[in-house]
């Protein structure tokens, strides 16, 4: 589990609260249920209007990706490909028919099934590239609902502030209530900006990074499976992919 997501959200919230307190603010003025309802309810409604039910729920399902560590592209991944290359060199592509594929990445499993069926390299590449494109298209479309939410939240924060000011002007002849009323009105703007920049937009960025990490992982298998289909030796496969593994591992550790 990637605790950095939770730590970052807590740190951001604490920084805002501490800054408000240092300026002499009272925390009681920050808790405005009506402002929270306007911002969160309005944001979710706008996102729902822009998407289908399936896409909306896919975006919610992807939330767990923001709390997971990215998949590492390492020597172990390359070792698996080299083992498959040895198997193909000794027994041909039919060797993959008896291979136990339990626990293997679904994308790699699909490639092994195609190799076992004896498809050409061109057909294998086309099929796997289409699967990669579909994965990226569907995952990123679902992830973008959080980007959309990050765009709508500040706007509904402003809407909440306007509604609050409308309510305050109804008491224009009661100066004692104006200060507290205006402060409560602008709390909605604070909610909109804070939720957008501490929750929604960072969630989108984290999920996007996870999808890109998975794509890098799958492309390594794509390159290896294509090399096996071309009947390249395990040594050639290792030479071709070793540098790529090093670069991707370093990128994930950076």
């Amino acid at each position: 589990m990637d605790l950095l997501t939770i730590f970052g959200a807590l740190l951001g919230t604490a920084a805002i609260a501490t800054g408000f307190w240092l300026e002499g603010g009272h925390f009681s003025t920050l808790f405005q249920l009506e402002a929270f309802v306007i911002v969160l309810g309005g944001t979710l409604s706008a996102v729902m209007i822009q998407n289908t039910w399936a896409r909306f729920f896919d975006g919610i399902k992807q939330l767990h990706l923001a709390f997971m560590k990215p998949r590492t592209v390492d020597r172990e991944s390359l070792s698996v490909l080299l083992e498959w290359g040895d198997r193909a060199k000794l027994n041909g592509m039919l060797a993959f028919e008896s291979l136990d594929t339990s626990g293997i990445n679904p994308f790699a499993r699909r490639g092994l099934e195609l190799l076992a069926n004896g498809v050409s390299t061109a057909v294998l590449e086309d099929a796997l590239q289409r699967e990669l494109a579909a994965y990226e298209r569907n995952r990123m479309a679902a992830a973008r609902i959080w980007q959309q939410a990050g765009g709508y939240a500040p706007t509904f924060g402003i809407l909440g502030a306007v509604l609050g000011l409308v309510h305050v002007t109804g008491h224009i002849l009661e100066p004692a209530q104006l200060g507290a009323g205006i402060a409560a009105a602008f709390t909605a703007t604070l909610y909109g900006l804070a939720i957008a920049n501490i929750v929604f937009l960072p969630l989108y960025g984290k999920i996007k990074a996870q999808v890109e990490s998975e794509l890098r992982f799958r492309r390594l298998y794509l390159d290896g499976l294509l090399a096996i289909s071309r009947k390249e030796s395990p040594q050639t496969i290792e030479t071709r992919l070793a540098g790529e593994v090093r670069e991707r591992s370093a990128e994930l550790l950076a």
Side-chain angles (χ1 to χ4, degrees):
M1 182 176 181
D2 188 358
L3 297 177
L4 192 60
T5 300
I6 298 175
F7 178 75
L10 292 176
L11 179 61
T13 304
I16 293 173
T18 302
F20 181 73
W21 174 73
L22 289 174
E23 289 180 349
H26 300 285
F27 289 124
S28 59
T29 60
L30 294 180
F31 297 99
Q32 303 289 335
L33 180 59
E34 60 273 22
F36 183 78
V37 170
I38 291 171
V39 172
L40 189 60
T43 299
L44 291 179
S45 67
V47 171
M48 288 178 179
I49 292 170
Q50 191 170 346
N51 295 278
T52 63
W53 279 108
R55 185 62 46 75
F56 180 75
F57 284 118
D58 280 346
I60 293 177
K61 290 176 183 176
Q62 286 195 60
L63 271 177
H64 73 282
L65 295 177
F67 303 94
M68 294 174 58
K69 293 183 179 179
R71 192 191 294 270
T72 304
V73 179
D74 53 16
R75 292 291 304 182
E76 182 179 352
S77 306
L78 181 57
S79 297
V80 172
L81 286 169
L82 296 178
E83 180 184 340
W84 294 346
D86 284 329
R87 183 184 291 261
K89 183 178 181 181
L90 292 174
N91 303 309
M93 301 304 171
L94 293 178
F96 295 119
E97 291 184 346
S98 59
L99 179 67
D100 181 13
T101 58
S102 60
I104 295 177
N105 181 276
F107 177 78
R109 187 186 306 128
R110 169 69 172 154
L112 291 172
E113 291 172 354
L114 291 173
L115 284 177
N117 290 335
V119 302
S120 66
T121 302
V123 172
L124 175 68
E125 182 174 13
D126 181 66
L128 294 184
Q129 288 283 15
R130 287 176 183 273
E131 189 166 328
L132 271 180
Y135 171 86
E136 181 177 14
R137 182 172 59 251
N138 293 332
R139 287 299 181 95
M140 289 306 301
R144 274 192 289 271
I145 73 166
W146 300 108
Q147 184 183 41
Q148 296 163 10
Y152 287 126
T155 302
F156 280 99
I158 296 173
L159 176 61
V162 172
L163 292 174
L165 291 175
V166 169
H167 176 70
V168 167
T169 56
H171 300 276
I172 195 68
L173 299 179
E174 303 174 33
Q177 298 186 23
L178 288 180
I182 293 174
F186 282 105
T187 300
T189 304
L190 171 64
Y191 282 178
L193 291 170
I195 292 175
N197 292 283
I198 296 180
V199 180
F200 292 145
L201 293 178
L203 280 177
Y204 166 71
K206 202 66 173 283
I207 294 172
K208 179 183 177 182
Q210 286 282 13
V211 173
E212 291 173 346
S213 175
E214 178 66 21
L215 285 170
R216 289 191 294 266
F217 185 82
R218 294 188 179 199
R219 287 192 180 106
L220 176 70
Y221 277 107
L222 171 62
D223 293 340
L225 290 168
L226 290 177
I228 293 172
S229 178
R230 292 190 293 264
K231 297 181 174 57
E232 295 182 6
S233 68
Q235 292 77 17
T236 302
I237 296 173
E238 182 174 19
T239 301
R240 184 192 299 274
L241 299 181
E244 192 171 0
V245 169
R246 284 195 301 271
E247 288 298 324
R248 291 176 177 176
S249 299
E251 181 181 346
L252 287 172
L253 292 174

